[in-house]
Amino acid sequence: KPCPTLRGFFKLPQRDLITLAVRADLGVKSFDEIIQKKIPLKMGTGPDNTRAIGFLYREFLKAYGTSEEQIESWGGGIVAADLGGLAIGKVITGEANAVFQEGDVPIAPNWKPLNDKYPMRVLSIPDAVIDKLKPLGFGKFEYVIKKGSYPGFLDDVSTLDYSDWIVVGDSSVPDEVAYRVAKIAVERKSDFQSQYPKMLPAGSKGLDQYIADPKEMWKDLGAPLHPGAAKYFKEKGLMP
């Protein structure tokens, strides 16, 4: 439900998409076919709404005009997997036959071994479905992943965007605290980046974490920028 007091502090950039993939031997090229054929889809994804990916999957089903309960009636259901690597592992073991996950799925270490064992097909998510999810803050990934870019991309793929790590808080957070949060994020971002030695250059179009540009860290937070954080970015000449 709406949270009118939500405020943004900063974001750390990560180019991230939703990977909707099914075992190729299911014989489908779209999620519509899954619904039409009532395929018992065993989806490796978040088990509930405690993580955004679980919430998004259920809203994705609604946008398609179906539900978790309906898929269960076909003999399918959710196979609990909070992270992409775990979901891939569930398909490798045969517990799942599909993946709905964010993050590094196409570049995960076990994605190629999965495709070697069970070839996968990554499905596009149509604009009409994405449009229904926009009020929840989920938009379209900014570019098309070309056929053959990664294993399982048997066609050009359009999908949902799941990029960036955004830090938010309540409007009641004092300005001086929000100011310091923004200051730490910018001036100690190297501490964060040191955890990811293979970070991509700022502005890269590759999948994964990439180096933060302080002039971009205050933009597109999904909530109004906290005035304390805004004060810091303005003082440092990082925003108008």
Side-chain angles (χ1 to χ4, degrees):
K1 56 186 178 180
C3 184
T5 62
L6 193 68
R7 297 294 180 266
F9 295 102
F10 68 92
K11 70 179 179 186
L12 292 169
Q14 180 193 38
R15 198 170 298 276
D16 191 351
L17 49 72
I18 291 295
T19 300
L20 169 63
V22 299
R23 278 180 45 164
D25 57 13
L26 293 182
V28 300
K29 295 184 178 181
S30 71
F31 202 81
D32 286 303
E33 288 184 71
I34 291 169
I35 296 172
Q36 291 162 8
K37 297 177 181 179
K38 299 182 179 180
I39 290 173
L41 198 67
K42 297 177 182 179
M43 183 65 77
T45 192
D48 51 42
N49 289 347
T50 57
R51 287 194 69 238
I53 190 65
F55 168 80
L56 177 56
Y57 177 62
R58 287 155 181 82
E59 294 299 322
F60 163 82
L61 294 179
K62 289 179 189 176
Y64 256 108
T66 187
S67 65
E68 183 181 354
E69 292 73 23
Q70 188 171 54
I71 291 175
E72 287 174 349
S73 74
W74 306 335
I78 288 176
V79 179
D82 275 334
L83 300 172
L86 295 176
I88 294 169
K90 296 291 186 180
V91 182
I92 290 174
T93 61
E95 297 170 73
N97 57 15
V99 169
F100 183 94
Q101 271 291 347
E102 52 92 8
D104 61 353
V105 170
I107 59 173
N110 55 351
W111 179 245
K112 186 179 184 300
L114 165 60
N115 278 267
D116 290 341
K117 183 175 183 179
Y118 299 119
M120 301 293 287
R121 178 181 287 275
V122 179
L123 306 179
S124 283
I125 300 177
D127 287 353
V129 172
I130 294 174
D131 287 343
K132 292 179 182 178
L133 297 169
K134 282 181 178 177
L136 301 174
F138 298 99
K140 186 175 182 177
F141 192 64
E142 65 180 305
Y143 65 98
V144 173
I145 307 296
K146 294 296 183 182
K147 175 181 177 180
S149 297
Y150 306 97
F153 285 77
L154 308 181
D155 304 288
D156 292 350
V157 172
S158 297
T159 187
L160 283 159
D161 191 19
Y162 206 88
S163 295
D164 300 329
W165 294 338
I166 300 174
V167 175
V168 297
D170 192 74
S171 60
S172 62
V173 173
D175 285 0
E176 60 270 23
V177 174
Y179 179 98
R180 184 162 296 188
V181 168
K183 175 182 172 70
I184 291 170
V186 171
E187 297 178 16
R188 296 187 62 184
K189 69 186 184 72
S190 60
D191 292 343
F192 167 77
Q193 290 166 181
S194 67
Q195 301 175 66
Y196 300 92
K198 296 182 179 179
M199 290 188 85
L200 300 170
S204 170
K205 289 192 174 182
L207 300 178
D208 214 344
Q209 289 84 16
Y210 58 106
I211 295 169
D213 178 353
K215 292 182 179 179
E216 302 291 323
M217 292 172 71
W218 56 270
K219 297 180 180 178
D220 303 321
L221 303 182
L225 183 63
H226 192 290
K231 180 181 178 183
Y232 172 81
F233 286 111
K234 289 178 179 178
E235 277 186 5
K236 300 302 178 181
L238 302 173
M239 67 178 289

